[in-house]
Structure formats: structure tokens, C-alpha cells
Amino acid sequence: MSNTLNGKSLFYYDLDWLGKVFANRLKAHFGGHEHVQHEQPLDVEDHFADEYANFVQEQNLSVEERLLLILALAPHIRPAFLDEIIAANVSQSGDFPQIGGARGKHFRGFIPTGETFLFLLAGTNALARIEAKKWLHSDTLLYKMKVIYLESVPAGEPISSGKITVDAEFLEWFLLGKKSIPKISPDFPAQHLQTELTWQDLVLNPLTRDQIGEIEIWVRHHNTLLNEWGMSKRLNPGFKALFHGPPGTGKTLTATLLGKYTGKEVFRIDLSLVVSKFIGETEKNLATLFDKAENKDWILFFDEADALFSKRTNVRDAHDKYANQEVSYLLQRLELFSGLVILASNFKTNIDDAFSRRFQSVIYFPMPKARERLELWQNAFPEQVEMSDDLSLAQLAEQYELSGANIMNIVQYACLKCLERGDHVIMPADVEGGIRKEFAKEGKLI
């Protein structure tokens, strides 16, 4: 993180500006008048190159939005800052509900609330406060981007009394110049996918590969298409794709490589943490997931999607009714999601028709043919081993119909047998043993 103005990031200058705005409001209020002529924040221009400054400039934040953002950041930058401002400008002691604010369980400093922000903009002027509340509305930029939000409050209490909270990932990005990858948990039911493999390691038939290329083009250029070319009025914001075909044919690896080569993070949704037997819990879990992913430019990959996107049933009981409601809710969230969503299923016919109609791309991943299987066999073995003279990879490719995942399992088995013997030669028996093991798992005979 670098900048060019006195070695400081913009948020230090904005923090100083916030201090002056807060002090001026306190002096005016406790001095018996409400009118305040606030100073304007420092013009960003090209003086800064830190992430906070880039965000302020790229999003063209208004003065009010910038004040709200730095107010939310203040406790994370200087924990005692807001307490010091209050102590320096309020002579009497006591509780001042007009200032708002709260204390945390562990953090003992002043935590700003929506009331604090309204006080800074409007003091106690009722009409001005009502006008200022628009900046705390869910339709405003910082809320839509999930940068900040007001914590929920008990029923009956003013919504604006909730603490102003900064999203943890944006906070890390503003202060440290990086964003950590969220870990899988009940609150975030998705696993981050990464790979050291390349497109050259993925063996697909030409038609499938061409269709994958079309998705890659969308990921690279959709922002230009929607925003600069003005197509956002005519097209849905995101892209939905269905990958279908037998297990082990490259669906997960394809999703991972799409992220790797387009600079996007890929998350595989753990449906066991999403789908709940309790009414309303599945929708709640999905809402948390999509809210977290919105505006992050992530790729969401729903593996074995049948569990969540399967065909709706005729309503026979309350369970069917709520299952169908889950499907309807999913349709709504998919329509609104601005990123790439990939559903993977072994069978296309398992997916509800309502979803199928919304896919921009439906891609079949067939079992590899003999020529493709030969390429998989040739690429699978490590450089440290050599093939026995009586082992023919071409013959294996012709004789056994196997998926890429099957072949990798067989190669692992054969290599371990080789290591156990203490040599570097893959024998026919090593491979045949692995093939028998794979066939047995699927209830097949050689």
C-alpha cells in the first residue's frame, strides 16, 4: 500500500476531518444552537494510491457517504478517538442520548451508531434528521455494496440506534491493503477452491472446451458490456451455467480454473450446511451466503446441485409447500446475483425447469473417449516413474471406459505400490489392481 501525500493514507486525513465535524457539532449543540458550517473533506485527486482512497474516488462517494464510512472506521483506526473528541468538547458529565453511541462487550471505547451519524449531519433538528436518514437506507451505495450496515436492535427500539459496522473484508482491505478469504463455517457455508493445475491439464472434448471459453469471455468482459455499453437495462446482471455429466469428468476443476484464469475467487457451496429440515432455515442460510458474495465478484459453484435445485413436487403436505418456496426463493436470488453461478449435476433432468430456463449456458461433460483417455493417462503419472515395457497406456485407454477422476485414483494406487516396492517402474499389475478397485467402487466387473 503506497501513497504520495506526507506518507499517510487518506483515512488519516479523513479521520482528522471527522474530528473537526464532530467537535463543531458538539460545540454548537451544547452552545445552544444547531446551525453548523462543516468543513469539506480533502480532495482525493491523485494524491493517494491506497485502497481506501481508491474506493472513495472510484465510487465517487458523496460527502455524507464519506463521513459515514470514516465514522464507522474510526474505532478500528484510533480506539479512543471519538471518546477524546467528546471529552474535549462536552464540559458536563452525563449520558447524552442525542449523540448516540454504544459500548461493546470487550471494546470499551465509543462505538458510533446510526444516531451518531444523524447527530453529526443534523443535530437534533427533527426535519433535518429525517432527511439525513436516507443515507442509512439499504438502497444507498455503501449498503448495497455491503461495505457497512447497521446492527439489528431489539424490537421496538429505533433502527438508527444500531451500531454502524464495517464488513470485515472491506475493513481489512482499507487498513491492510488485502482481503482474507473467508473460511467455511455455519455462517459461510462455502469452501474456497484453488488448484495448481492449468487448462492444459484439463482434458475435455472440443465442444465442451469451446462452451467453457464462452463463459470465460463473459467473466472477463461482463462489466464493460453491462456498464460501459449500457446493456444493464436489457440483460440480467449475472451469468448462470449448468455443468452436467457423470462424476469425475472435470466439472469442479473447470469451475476452479475459470476462477484461476480470470482472477476470481471460487467457492464451492457445502449444501449440507445450507439445506435444513427446519422451515425457513434454508432460505436464511441462502440469504447469508448470497449477501456475503454480492459485489465480491466471486464465482459460486453448487456441486451436486440436485439437493437444492431439484424439480418441484406437487403439494401434498406442508413440507412440499415449503420445499417449493425454497426453490422460488432461490430463483429470486439467482436472478439478482451479479456474478457467475455454476450448478453441477450428474443428470440435467434432475434440475427444475424453472432454473433450466434461466441458464445462459448448459454444458455437457461426457465420459472421455479413448483418445481423451490416452491423454489423461499420459499426463497423470509423475516424471519420477517409468512404464514397464509390457504396459501399454494406449491399450488401457481403448479397453477401459474411465473418467479423469478414476484415472487419477488408479495412478495414485499404482504409484503407491511402486513406492512400497522401492522402485520407479509402474507394472501392469499395479495399474490393473487400481482399475479393479475403481470398478468395484461403482459395482462393476472388469
Side-chain angles (χ1 to χ4, degrees), residues 20-91:
K20 293 175 182 177
V21 171
F22 205 168
N24 289 342
R25 175 58 70 186
L26 289 169
K27 289 175 184 176
H29 176 74
F30 289 100
H33 57 92
E34 292 294 331
H35 179 71
V36 174
Q37 186 66 40
H38 287 313
E39 294 188 29
Q40 295 297 300
L42 187 68
D43 191 355
V44 180
E45 293 183 341
D46 297 321
H47 298 306
F48 301 90
D50 61 271
E51 283 71 14
Y52 173 77
N54 290 339
F55 180 82
V56 170
Q57 192 167 32
E58 289 172 6
Q59 301 303 326
N60 194 26
L61 295 189
S62 67
V63 172
E64 292 83 2
E65 289 168 329
R66 195 163 157 186
L67 182 66
L68 178 58
L69 181 56
I70 193 60
L71 179 64
L73 288 170
H76 302 277
I77 302 171
R78 286 178 53 184
F81 179 72
L82 297 176
D83 285 291
E84 292 168 355
I85 298 296
I86 295 170
N89 293 279
V90 180
S91 57

Side-chain angles (χ1 to χ4, degrees), residues 204-214 362-364 366 372:
L204 298 172
N205 69 64
L207 176 59
T208 302
R209 185 173 289 279
D210 287 346
Q211 291 176 299
I212 296 301
E214 293 171 7
V362 176
I363 302 177
Y364 179 51
E372 293 152 4

Side-chain angles (χ1 to χ4, degrees), residues 375-437:
E375 187 177 349
L376 286 166
W377 280 113
Q378 291 171 335
N379 293 343
F381 285 98
E383 295 178 357
Q384 289 82 355
V385 303
E386 57 184 85
M387 301 297 113
S388 169
D389 291 339
D390 52 353
L391 177 62
S392 170
L393 296 183
Q395 184 178 347
L396 291 175
E398 285 287 345
Q399 186 173 356
Y400 299 108
E401 186 178 6
L402 296 161
S403 71
N406 292 144
I407 290 172
M408 287 309 304
N409 288 339
I410 294 165
V411 167
Q412 175 177 267
Y413 177 91
C415 288
L416 289 173
K417 288 293 185 181
C418 191
L419 287 168
E420 183 67 15
R421 286 195 306 272
D423 63 37
H424 296 77
V425 180
I426 302 293
M427 306 299 294
D430 301 329
V431 177
E432 290 166 4
I435 292 173
R436 282 194 298 271
K437 189 167 180 286

